[in-house]
């Protein structure tokens, strides 16, 4: 049995851990008024991370890298330092959505720089509150640290050219985790064109969760993704979504299931659909 830290932690385990161990708790909720809502109520001790400002560089043309391209290594190192995260920190991250999308993005980014002690809170804020974890509306005080040393992104990513090659290669699989209506081109709330990358298969991230919005067991997820991947190596698997955030939810689920983390196409549909690429739509 592996001693590897599970990438998912439940609320009861969080409460026990917080009573005995120094942890860094991160609130990564995203969306309109996210920081304002954090200030109204968050898990006591949690520090806020902003998806757009801290976990991406969004002041560029989505045609080049999508809506949430990764920040530079220097910028991310500065974010971690200002948040008081060191290479030794045990980080637990949550958001206010059961799906843990923004939390998963932060998890992936930490793992991608080699930080192993990071977990996502199963069920997010709501589950922790339900379990009795204390909440606060106060500003949290914590010490910053000296620059977090980062040398490279250690987890694999794929660019648009690699996706182009992979989608036409039977040895590869390109997974789109958006909901089926978006994949089929029936609706598109965020990007300019509806549809999907030709050759991609649709495995909605919502299928990682049970009826209560919690991650399914590692055994169930392992069975599901072993059937999807058809024994393909993680090197030959590319996962994407709309902008490289929600895809991390599926990468998290795969890691939870004991599957090697595949490549992330950060630009995702938001980049692909803005380039002169062959596209599949409902028509």
């Amino acid at each position: 049995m592996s001693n590897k830290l599970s990438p998912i932690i439940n609320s009861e385990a969080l409460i026990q851990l917080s009573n005995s161990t120094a942890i860094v708790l991160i609130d990564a909720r995203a969306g309109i008024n996210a920081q304002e809502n954090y200030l109204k109520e968050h898990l006591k001790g949690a520090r806020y991370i902003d998806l757009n400002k801290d976990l991406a560089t969004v002041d560029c043309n989505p045609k080049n890298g999508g809506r949430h391209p990764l920040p530079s290594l220097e910028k991310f190192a500065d974010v971690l330092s200002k948040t008081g995260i060191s290479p030794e920190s045990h980080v637990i991250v949550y958001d206010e959505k059961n799906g843990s999308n923004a939390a998963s993005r932060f998890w992936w980014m930490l793992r991608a720089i080699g930080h192993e002690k990071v977990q996502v809170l199963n069920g997010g804020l709501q589950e922790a509150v339900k379990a009795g974890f204390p909440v606060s509306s106060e500003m949290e005080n914590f010490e910053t640290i000296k620059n977090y040393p980062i040398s490279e992104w250690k987890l694999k990513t794929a660019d648009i050219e690699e996706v182009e090659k992979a989608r036409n290669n039977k040895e590869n699989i390109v997974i789109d985790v958006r909901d089926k209506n978006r994949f089929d081109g029936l609706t598109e709330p965020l990007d300019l064109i509806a549809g999907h990358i030709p050759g991609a298969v649709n495995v909605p991230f919502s299928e990682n969760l049970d009826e209560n919005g919690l991650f399914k067991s590692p055994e169930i997820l392992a069975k599901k993704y072993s059937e999807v991947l058809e024994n393909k190596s993680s090197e030959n698997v590319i996962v994407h979504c709309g902008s490289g955030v929600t895809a991390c939810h599926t990468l998290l689920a795969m890691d939870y299931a004991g599957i090697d983390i595949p490549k992330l196409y950060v630009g995702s549909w938001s980049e692909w659909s803005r380039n002169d690429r062959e596209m599949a739509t409902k028509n």
Side-chain angles (χ1 to χ4, degrees), residues 48-149:
Y48 179 70
I49 286 281
D50 188 291
L51 171 63
N52 291 328
K53 296 178 181 177
D54 300 325
L55 306 184
T57 300
V58 297
D59 59 343
C60 59
N61 186 345
K63 184 177 181 178
N64 303 311
R67 283 184 279 109
H68 287 104
L70 292 173
S72 68
L73 291 170
E74 293 76 15
K75 176 182 175 181
F76 190 44
D78 186 56
V79 167
L80 296 179
S81 299
K82 289 180 178 178
T83 313
I85 295 174
S86 74
E88 294 74 35
S89 296
H90 186 159
V91 180
I92 297 176
V93 55
Y94 70 90
D95 57 38
E96 63 177 353
K97 302 288 193 302
N98 288 338
S100 304
N101 294 345
S104 298
R105 168 72 171 232
F106 188 47
W107 166 86
W108 183 91
M109 290 175 67
L110 279 176
R111 287 291 303 276
I113 62 168
H115 194 111
E116 294 292 335
K117 294 177 68 175
V118 54
Q119 297 175 287
V120 172
L121 179 59
N122 204 2
L125 175 66
Q126 295 90 334
E127 284 297 313
V129 172
K130 190 189 303 183
F133 198 98
V135 297
S136 173
S137 58
E138 302 293 327
M139 289 293 295
E140 301 294 343
N141 297 313
F142 55 88
E143 293 184 5
T144 60
I145 65 160
K146 293 183 179 179
N147 199 41
Y148 190 115

Side-chain angles (χ1 to χ4, degrees), residues 97-267:
K97 302 288 193 302
N98 288 338
S100 304
N101 294 345
S104 298
R105 168 72 171 232
F106 188 47
W107 166 86
W108 183 91
M109 290 175 67
L110 279 176
R111 287 291 303 276
I113 62 168
H115 194 111
E116 294 292 335
K117 294 177 68 175
V118 54
Q119 297 175 287
V120 172
L121 179 59
N122 204 2
L125 175 66
Q126 295 90 334
E127 284 297 313
V129 172
K130 190 189 303 183
F133 198 98
V135 297
S136 173
S137 58
E138 302 293 327
M139 289 293 295
E140 301 294 343
N141 297 313
F142 55 88
E143 293 184 5
T144 60
I145 65 160
K146 293 183 179 179
N147 199 41
Y148 190 115
I150 300 177
S151 59
E152 62 180 336
W153 298 112
K154 297 180 179 181
L155 293 182
K156 300 291 186 180
T157 59
D159 62 18
I160 193 169
E161 300 301 333
E162 184 173 354
V163 175
E164 174 68 61
K165 294 176 182 177
R167 74 180 187 83
N168 290 310
N169 188 336
K170 293 182 179 180
E171 297 301 314
N172 296 85
I173 182 170
V174 178
I175 298 174
D176 185 328
V177 310
R178 297 174 302 159
D179 68 70
K180 189 174 186 302
N181 282 343
R182 287 184 73 187
F183 181 84
D184 289 343
L186 301 178
T187 182
E188 181 46 65
L190 297 169
D191 291 309
L192 302 179
I193 299 172
H196 64 267
I197 298 172
V201 299
N202 186 214
V203 187
F205 81 95
S206 56
E207 295 178 0
N208 298 325
L209 306 174
D210 64 19
E211 63 276 9
N212 298 312
L214 302 175
F215 278 88
K216 294 176 181 176
S217 72
E219 294 76 18
I220 291 175
L221 291 170
K223 181 176 185 299
K224 171 186 176 62
Y225 283 108
S226 65
E227 294 171 354
V228 171
L229 300 181
E230 300 177 337
N231 296 318
K232 289 182 173 62
S233 164
S234 62
E235 286 287 320
N236 295 333
V237 179
I238 299 173
V239 181
H240 75 281
C241 54
S243 71
V245 175
T246 307
C248 294
H249 188 280
T250 289
L251 299 181
L252 173 63
M254 289 181 173
D255 189 53
Y256 189 39
I259 298 169
D260 290 340
I261 300 173
K263 296 178 181 179
L264 170 65
Y265 173 30
V266 181

